[in-house]
Amino acid sequence: MELLTAGFGGAAQVATGVGPVLEKFDGISRIAVLRGGGLGDLIFAIPAMAALKAAYPEAALTLLGTPVQQALLAAVESPVDDFCLLPFAEGVRPGVEDHSELEGFFDRQRARPFDLAVQLHGGGRYSNPFLLRLGARHTVGTQTADAAGLERTVPYVYYQHEPLRALEVAGFAGATPVDLEARLVPAAGVRAIRHAANDDGARPLVVIHPGATDPRRRWPVERFAQLAGTCAADGCRVVVIGDGSEHELGKQIAGTAASKSVESLAGKLTMAELVGLLADASVVVGNDSGPRHLAQALGVPTVGIFWVGNVINAGALGRAMHRVHMSWLTECPTCGIDITQVGWTAPRCAHDDSIVAGIEVREVYEDVRNLVATAVRRSPA
């Protein structure tokens, strides 16, 4: 079947993956993938990058990303061959733009241009013009109605599973899926520092991440504390994690749980230590956030607390090792505004009330206990 539409860039469909797989480009030796943001954003892009590496095995794949992503790539094995730090740029990497720095960045990229540039960073309003300035021979990515066009473009619709969206884009670059979700293993040497908190490893390890970029996605602190205390009373060692901004949150949960078996390492771990700790966990419990997604990619069972809209975009696909608890709220608890209209389609109200507060501790704990008891033995990587 041949589809010669404008969005396909005049290419023929040669297979089917997550949507059409178009014919490959010729002469590809350098690939750039644009994906800024945090840990979860990078993890969502991993399956697409694995597909691109499989489709173009001789090509070097460079991720254009952020410092936290660079730290993660140093701590795991991944399809990425090289990393390039993004400059501050509106809609691509938040921060104060420096015109000369931006110009210097693009001058350096165009001096040794990429053969293929792939945009996995949102709908393209800001990221497509940024990608085009790289000077690549071929460009592929997503596009909203108000975004600049690329050579081949996939329509951007907000409610789509993010890893599958990225795989659909990779298909337009000629890459058939290898995995539907990210698969990562710790880099050499990382496993040696798993027991960062000095534990003999005899007890099941439950890791809790209570944070989330959007405060509305956070389960209440007292519920995490109750869960931590219950798991500790059941014979588990419980570790609360988070970045520096979540130090007090972790401290509060550990303090409220009031058990010697519950401790907080929030703000105390390097990225390599975080990867090692997660890889050694029996179960990881968290909101819709980077560490939960990372744990899943490392093959660790997880229990996720999600707003229903985020399940569509970011929930685990399987249920043997991953459980999802959903809040079905569709209106802000304070002002009643429709919260299903997200992204650029509607303004966000000013309220940060949790929209997942209705999820019960008992339900989450039952899944934690079940996963601890039935955990599939993972072979050493």
Side-chain angles (χ1 to χ4, degrees):
M1 178 176 66
E2 231 178 56
L3 294 173
L4 303 177
T5 66
F8 280 42
Q13 178 178 341
V14 297
T16 301
V18 180
V21 176
L22 306 187
E23 56 195 357
K24 294 200 294 184
F25 298 107
D26 294 326
I28 303 299
S29 61
R30 298 187 73 227
I31 301 172
V33 173
L34 173 60
R35 174 66 268 190
L39 290 181
D41 299 305
L42 170 58
I43 292 164
F44 295 154
I46 291 290
M49 291 191 286
L52 289 166
K53 282 292 292 183
Y56 301 98
E58 303 304 317
L61 191 152
T62 299
L63 174 69
L64 310 182
T66 59
V68 68
Q69 296 173 345
Q70 184 177 21
L72 177 59
L73 290 175
V76 297
E77 296 179 8
S78 77
V80 178
D81 298 304
D82 191 25
F83 178 86
C84 183
L85 182 64
L86 286 167
F88 295 122
E90 184 178 7
V92 174
R93 184 184 170 200
V96 179
E97 287 190 18
D98 183 310
H99 178 74
S100 61
E101 182 181 349
L102 270 172
E103 290 300 320
F105 172 85
F106 289 116
D107 286 344
R108 290 190 297 274
Q109 308 314 313
R110 289 190 293 262
R112 188 171 171 244
F114 292 101
D115 300 301
L116 169 62
V118 180
Q119 188 275 102
L120 302 179
H121 187 99
R125 178 186 296 177
Y126 298 103
S127 49
N128 283 1
F130 187 99
L131 193 85
L132 290 167
R133 293 184 68 183
L134 297 173
R137 287 196 296 117
H138 301 288
T139 57
V140 181
T142 47
Q143 182 185 20
T144 55
D146 61 349
L150 304 175
E151 183 177 349
R152 299 178 184 175
T153 53
V154 177
Y156 182 92
V157 179
Y158 180 80
Y159 284 116
Q160 181 179 7
H161 195 258
E162 291 291 346
L164 301 187
R165 187 201 310 280
L167 280 170
E168 190 169 8
V169 173
F172 270 46
T176 302
V178 176
D179 270 317
L180 297 181
E181 296 177 294
R183 309 282 179 235
L184 297 172
V185 295
V190 168
R191 286 188 180 273
I193 58 171
R194 278 179 173 179
H195 298 293
N198 190 25
D199 183 81
D200 62 8
R203 293 178 293 166
L205 172 60
V206 176
V207 175
I208 290 176
H209 180 242
T213 304
D214 187 337
R216 298 174 300 174
R217 299 203 309 260
R218 297 176 187 168
W219 207 32
V221 170
E222 59 272 16
R223 302 222 164 178
F224 273 117
Q226 184 182 344
L227 176 68
T230 304
C231 290
D234 205 25
C236 297
R237 173 189 168 218
V238 181
V239 175
V240 184
I241 59 169
D243 61 23
S245 68
E246 295 159 342
H247 172 75
E248 288 302 319
L249 187 61
K251 184 178 177 181
Q252 183 180 352
I253 290 170
T256 304
S259 169
K260 292 182 178 179
S261 295
V262 179
E263 64 179 320
S264 176
L265 297 179
K268 300 178 181 179
L269 299 176
T270 66
M271 184 62 71
E273 289 169 339
L274 174 63
V275 168
L277 182 70
L278 291 176
D280 203 34
S282 302
V283 179
V284 174
V285 185
N287 303 310
D288 174 19
S289 62
R292 196 219 63 83
H293 300 307
L294 175 55
Q296 179 184 330
L298 290 167
V300 178
T302 70
V303 179
I305 297 163
F306 285 79
W307 173 62
V308 63
N310 296 129
V311 175
I312 297 172
N313 287 60
L317 297 179
R319 291 296 175 268
M321 292 179 63
H322 307 289
R323 308 295 167 78
V324 174
H325 291 268
M326 287 178 283
S327 164
W328 296 86
L329 284 181
T330 59
E331 297 178 345
C332 171
T334 301
C335 69
I337 193 172
D338 182 359
I339 57 175
T340 67
Q341 302 303 306
V342 292
W344 69 96
T345 59
R348 179 205 190 290
C349 70
H351 305 113
D352 287 335
D353 307 83
S354 172
I355 56 176
V356 296
I359 295 171
E360 297 292 336
V361 174
R362 175 185 53 79
E363 298 170 354
V364 176
Y365 170 68
E366 286 300 323
D367 273 339
V368 172
R369 186 172 68 171
N370 178 265
L371 288 171
V372 167
T374 62
V376 177
R377 187 172 70 85
R378 301 190 299 279
S379 300

